[in-house]
Every structure is written in structure tokens, then in C-alpha cells.
């Protein structure tokens, strides 16, 4: 799966560039791996505004604007938290007062132990484009590294889908699409 990331990152950047759109990234469990996959591709600076690694739960609220009551009640591994992180990234990473056109966020449990009652491998990815913000839930297998790699690939695929309306076959089937 990790070998698909460069191809997926390039496809996302090309799709955004073709549409004149910018991207903002908010990461938790992926810890910078998603933004690293994007900047590995030459020309990413044409599209990528920046990224926030909100690994500590309070940063999700203070920097990305996630509702602190939601975090206290449901914890950081939650579909609504992913949606709020994605929308918050667009605002937090505005350039000259213009929010990013697309926000993507990752949150979940990479392991080795469950968190907040959520099993290892639980991942929520949020994407915010225009007035639409969605999340998709995943349950990935494997070790910590494999879960994080799968989350990066799934996030890239979901951004591609949200921007183009088409699917990027990243080998990471999801569930729980919600608006």
C-alpha cells in the first residue's frame, strides 16, 4: 500500500492544480506522514498551503477549532472531530485571509493499545470542500506503521474523490460517509 502513496499524492496535487484549488492538512495519528507524502511530489507548493500536526488532543481545539465539549464527550477518535479538524484546517491555514479550498484531516488509533474505547486500527478521515464536509470511517489491520500508511493512502483517495467526483483506487475501502 505504501507504494501507492506517491501515485495518489501526485493525482491529488494534479487534480487540485487543474481546478486552481489549495489544500490544508490537519493530522493526528499520521503525525505528518500525509503532508510528507504530498511534499515529496515536486510542485506541491503550488497547491499545499500547509499542515498542522495536532497530535495532542487540546491542539485540535485551540488551533483547529474543534468543539472542546465534543472532544471531552466523544474523544478525539470520532467522525465529527475529523470533520471539524478538516474545516478548521482550511481556516487555520488561510493565505492572505483566504481559507484553503480543501481541508483534510486524520484522526484515529494506530496502536499498540486501544484508545477511548476505540480498537486499534480505527481511523476517521474528514474532508471539507466548499460547503460540504464529510468523514469516512475505516478499520485497518496491521501494526502501527501499516495503520498509519493505510490512513495516509485513504486520506489521499478521499481528497481525490471529493475534488474530482471520481474514485482513486487506493485499496482502502471505507464506510460511514456522512455529511
Amino acid at each position: 500500500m505504501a507504494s501507492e502513496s506517491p501515485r495518489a499524492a501526485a493525482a491529488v496535487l494534479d487534480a487540485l492544480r487543474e481546478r486552481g484549488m489549495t489544500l490544508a492538512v490537519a493530522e493526528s495519528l499520521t503525525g505528518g506522514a500525509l503532508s510528507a507524502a504530498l511534499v515529496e511530489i515536486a510542485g506541491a507548493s503550488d497547491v499545499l498551503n500547509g499542515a498542522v500536526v495536532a497530535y495532542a488532543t487540546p491542539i485540535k481545539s485551540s488551533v483547529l477549532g474543534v468543539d472542546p465539549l465534543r472532544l471531552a464527550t466523544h474523544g478525539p477518535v470520532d467522525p465529527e472531530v475529523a470533520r471539524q479538524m478538516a474545516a478548521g484546517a482550511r481556516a487555520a491555514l488561510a493565505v492572505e485571509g483566504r481559507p484553503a479550498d480543501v481541508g483534510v484531516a486524520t484522526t484515529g488509533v494506530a496502536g499498540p493499545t486501544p484508545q477511548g474505547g476505540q480498537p486499534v486500527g480505527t481511523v476517521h478521515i474528514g474532508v471539507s470542500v466548499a460547503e460540504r464536509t464529510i468523514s469516512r470511517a475505516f478499520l485497518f489491520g496491521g501494526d502501527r506503521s501499516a495503520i498509519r500508511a493505510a490512513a495516509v493512502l485513504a486520506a489521499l483517495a478521499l481528497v481525490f474523490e471529493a475534488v474530482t467526483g471520481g474514485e482513486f483506487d487506493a485499496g482502502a475501502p471505507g464506510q460511514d460517509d456522512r455529511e
Side-chain angles (χ1 to χ4, degrees), residues 48-103:
L48 182 64
N49 280 8
V52 172
V53 177
Y55 208 65
T57 298
I59 301 300
K60 292 170 180 63
S61 177
S62 66
V63 174
L64 298 172
V66 175
D67 179 10
L69 183 58
R70 182 75 188 193
L71 288 166
T73 307
H74 297 278
V77 183
D78 175 72
E80 179 60 23
V81 168
R83 286 189 287 276
Q84 289 184 25
M85 287 174 65
R90 291 178 63 197
L93 297 165
V95 173
E96 297 177 354
R98 180 179 177 260
D101 298 301
V102 180

Side-chain angles (χ1 to χ4, degrees), residues 69-176:
L69 183 58
R70 182 75 188 193
L71 288 166
T73 307
H74 297 278
V77 183
D78 175 72
E80 179 60 23
V81 168
R83 286 189 287 276
Q84 289 184 25
M85 287 174 65
R90 291 178 63 197
L93 297 165
V95 173
E96 297 177 354
R98 180 179 177 260
D101 298 301
V102 180
V104 60
T106 63
T107 187
V109 184
T113 59
Q115 177 184 350
Q118 300 290 327
V120 171
T122 301
V123 174
H124 296 282
I125 296 170
V127 174
S128 179
V129 181
E131 300 301 316
R132 183 172 186 234
T133 302
I134 63 168
S135 69
R136 189 166 290 162
F138 299 86
L139 184 59
F140 296 119
D143 63 10
R144 182 175 175 80
S145 179
I147 291 165
R148 292 177 68 238
V152 167
L153 192 55
L156 292 167
L158 190 54
V159 170
F160 184 85
E161 180 182 324
V163 168
T164 68
E167 287 190 25
F168 180 84
D169 183 12
Q175 49 196 227
D176 198 22

Side-chain angles (χ1 to χ4, degrees), residues 15-70:
L16 290 164
R17 190 177 296 107
E18 288 168 8
R19 290 161 180 78
M21 299 174 88
T22 57
L23 178 65
V25 178
E27 300 185 67
S28 187
L29 89 146
T30 50
L34 176 55
S35 48
L38 290 162
V39 300
E40 189 67 29
I41 306 301
S45 61
D46 296 344
V47 172
L48 182 64
N49 280 8
V52 172
V53 177
Y55 208 65
T57 298
I59 301 300
K60 292 170 180 63
S61 177
S62 66
V63 174
L64 298 172
V66 175
D67 179 10
L69 183 58
R70 182 75 188 193

